[in-house]
Amino acid sequence: MKYLLIFIVVIVALMLHKKNRAASDQLSRQRRDGQRLSPPEPMHACTHCGVNVPASRCVWDAQHRPYCCAEHARKG
Ligand SMILES: [Zn+2]
């Protein structure tokens, strides 16, 4: 009877370990795929205050200088 209990505990522990490992593998695979889909975005320093801003969020003036926000673009 004692060995049966130990056997059941070992089986449950192995099942939990396998489940955790499968979840971990899936998470790392999703991270890898996500990195492949979205390459790093270029950053630009705001001409007014110097804060780095992703290119897609920059505000550009007529001379094509990057700014972090419309207020800094207005101030120059
Ligand atoms: Zn700024």
Side-chain angles (χ1 to χ4, degrees), residues 45-51 53 66-69 71-73:
C46 173
T47 305
H48 183 79
C49 66
V51 166
V53 185
Y67 292 91
C68 64
C69 59
E71 187 180 336
H72 285 182

Side-chain angles (χ1 to χ4, degrees), residues 15-55:
M15 286 171 63
L16 287 174
H17 176 73
K18 196 172 181 181
K19 188 178 174 184
N20 283 345
R21 190 169 175 185
S24 172
D25 286 351
Q26 186 179 5
L27 187 64
S28 63
R29 201 176 313 122
Q30 284 174 344
R31 283 188 187 144
R32 247 183 302 142
D33 292 346
Q35 287 173 350
R36 276 191 212 134
L37 292 175
S38 54
E41 191 174 356
M43 303 287 281
H44 297 284
C46 173
T47 305
H48 183 79
C49 66
V51 166
N52 286 316
V53 185

